[in-house]
Amino acid sequence: MKTVRVDLHERGYDIRIGNGVEPGASLAGEPSRRALVVSDAVVDPLYGDRCERALRTLGHVVTRVVVPAGEETKSLDRLGELYAAAAAAGLDRRSVIVALGGGVVGDLAGFAAATYMRGVRFIQAPTSLLAMVDSSVGGKTGINLPQGKNLVGAFHQPIEVAIDLNTLATLPEVEYRAGLAEVVKYGVIWDATLFDRLEADADRLAARDAAALTAVVARCCEIKAEVVAMDERESGVRAILNFGHTLGHALETADGYGVWLHGEAVAVGMAYAAELSVRLRSFPEGTRDRLVDLLRRWGLPVSPAAKGTAPEWAALRRAMGLDKKSMDGQARFVLAEKMGSVVFGCAVEDGALADAYREWTRKASDQ
Ligand code: NAD
Ligand code: GLY
């Protein structure tokens, strides 16, 4: 097992990564607590019993609640149901909420934990690759509104992240590959050596080779932990984690939640951000092509038209204006300078955005 520390002083915590890792280590030695395990309808039947057993063995009183699987679950209605479940289970300020599942469950249950009784503790037990390398670490929690992704939320750090790599065995292929998109992101924004390794190990990673996966998940968690420790509440450098997300979130919003997997939309967004970076920051064309080739090799989309027709630019532009990183309706981008190095907060003029979008959509659909 490998442990990565998220160094946030009194809010610091360990990420434990390995085969068979169970949640609850951070509660060791505590008297019996009430624990609400939140999972979705796919993950609960697979891993709910094991999670419950692990917590009961530590002496805690466990209630399970199951939400529907999918992005639509990050909603006010489902959040209300979680509050009701927490109240019915008799949770108090010393209780803990455990998010067992992908990023949807993590964001929803984490936000319930951030707000129920003005904040109770929570544990992240991620079961999708995307949640393991990204959403379970760093304390961003929240839900969507029809107007935009993650528009309601809070920073609320978990007390522990327990990553059981064995759970990836049941993750559907398309979800696994969507998680690889966020893995690629870390190479582009922070670590050119990681990107080289991803290229070299592309086939082993596609085949979910345990050794390759353990090393890569651990490295991604290390990078995320380092960035979050520098800038917990995204007043600066943490914004680099949004590389590819400005267009990605807009695609998810404009096409309606449930059409794009988050990682797929991020893959398209990264390809678009790379194109913008070539045009505006002298990012080498060859490096852009390496990024696009790796995404394609893993069967990830790189064109906004990948789900049928590409959304109208006007709809995407509107959605970008509502992005949390926008200022006065002006979208902000993370752009790459070279592999492993990006700049954030780049305001890009509307005409340049539209030109790059049209050109990139045409080029990506032609190939
Ligand atoms: P998800 O939670 O919808 O999980 C994907 C699908 O895989 C679901 O159907 C789920 O039931 C299933 N699944 C999960 N683990 C499984 C397993 N081990 N075996 C079988 N099926 C399994 O989606 P996701 O890709 O994990 O997360 C996407 C969400 O994360 C988005 O809402 C995104 O906005 C959010 N996100 C948040 C952050 C953050 O910092 N908080 C960062 C990135 C993404
Ligand atoms: N996924 C972006 C962040 O955690 O900041």
Side-chain angles (χ1 to χ4, degrees):
M1 188 183 71
K2 178 146 174 81
T3 302
V4 174
R5 181 82 186 159
V6 184
D7 195 2
L8 287 169
H9 310 287
E10 70 284 3
R11 288 184 307 289
Y13 51 95
D14 285 340
I15 308 168
R16 289 175 300 122
I17 305 156
N19 299 105
V21 168
E22 289 178 337
S26 58
L27 301 174
E30 287 194 26
S32 176
R33 304 293 189 206
R34 286 184 194 282
L36 186 74
V37 176
V38 182
S39 196
D40 73 24
V42 175
V43 175
D44 180 78
L46 293 168
Y47 305 110
D49 285 350
R50 229 199 66 185
C51 178
E52 177 171 347
R53 229 178 6 255
L55 293 163
R56 280 194 196 283
T57 305
L58 293 169
H60 306 302
V61 179
V62 180
T63 303
R64 272 156 67 179
V65 54
V66 180
V67 295
E71 186 67 29
E72 294 88 342
T73 284
K74 275 173 57 174
S75 69
L76 279 168
D77 286 350
R78 296 297 174 199
L79 180 67
E81 289 169 16
L82 282 199
Y83 292 145
L91 260 60
D92 62 27
R93 297 291 296 274
R94 290 160 308 171
S95 302
V96 62
I97 292 181
V98 180
L100 174 70
V104 163
V105 162
D107 281 9
L108 176 76
F111 187 56
T115 45
Y116 188 71
M117 293 189 166
R118 300 204 181 89
V120 296
R121 299 177 299 172
F122 90 113
I123 292 175
Q124 289 274 20
T127 60
S128 71
L129 178 59
L130 184 141
M132 290 175 184
V133 298
D134 193 355
S135 61
S136 66
V137 178
K140 277 191 184 177
T141 69
I143 57 167
N144 303 325
L145 295 183
Q147 291 83 355
K149 282 267 301 176
N150 302 330
L151 284 186
V152 177
F155 287 97
H156 186 56
Q157 298 295 340
I159 56 170
E160 162 190 345
V161 181
I163 299 181
D164 179 2
L165 294 167
N166 287 343
T167 60
L168 292 178
T170 52
L171 188 67
E173 187 61 19
V174 64
E175 299 288 353
Y176 178 74
R177 287 176 188 253
L180 286 174
E182 297 278 8
V183 170
V184 169
K185 178 186 80 178
Y186 289 106
V188 180
I189 65 170
W190 199 259
D191 185 350
T193 308
L194 170 63
F195 193 89
D196 293 343
R197 189 197 299 171
L198 298 179
E199 286 180 320
D201 281 351
D203 292 340
R204 290 173 68 204
L205 287 164
R208 309 187 195 195
D209 175 275
L213 209 42
T214 307
V216 162
V217 170
R219 181 63 192 134
C220 293
C221 287
E222 278 170 5
I223 296 171
K224 179 129 192 197
E226 199 175 335
V227 173
V228 168
M230 286 193 290
D231 176 23
E232 183 183 2
R233 296 178 74 91
E234 201 169 313
S235 43
V237 68
R238 184 167 177 168
I240 67 173
L241 296 169
N242 298 315
F243 179 68
H245 285 56
T246 312
L247 183 77
H249 281 166
L251 273 176
E252 288 182 85
T253 304
D255 276 345
Y257 302 128
V259 173
W260 292 88
L261 297 182
H262 177 71
E264 292 176 331
V266 167
V268 177
M270 288 195 293
Y272 174 64
E275 175 69 18
L276 278 177
S277 304
V278 166
R279 290 163 175 247
L280 304 170
R281 304 296 302 198
S282 29
F283 188 53
E285 287 187 24
T287 313
R288 173 202 61 198
D289 294 346
R290 280 177 70 197
L291 165 62
V292 170
D293 286 349
L294 183 59
L295 295 171
R296 284 208 166 108
R297 213 166 141 190
W298 280 335
L300 284 160
V302 292
S303 161
K307 297 283 173 186
T309 51
E312 285 298 319
W313 172 248
L316 286 177
R317 183 65 195 83
R318 245 191 328 276
M320 283 186 198
L322 273 172
D323 190 272
K324 291 189 299 308
K325 283 91 200 169
S326 295
M327 287 180 204
D328 301 324
Q330 169 98 63
R332 303 278 148 166
F333 280 81
V334 181
L335 298 179
E337 308 226 286
K338 59 182 184 179
M339 187 57 78
S341 172
V342 290
V343 280
F344 59 90
C346 305
V348 184
E349 190 230 314
D350 269 3
L353 290 178
D355 284 352
Y357 180 75
R358 278 191 211 96
E359 174 61 9
W360 177 249
T361 307
R362 190 193 57 71
K363 217 166 20 186
S365 317
D366 281 356
Q367 286 163 0

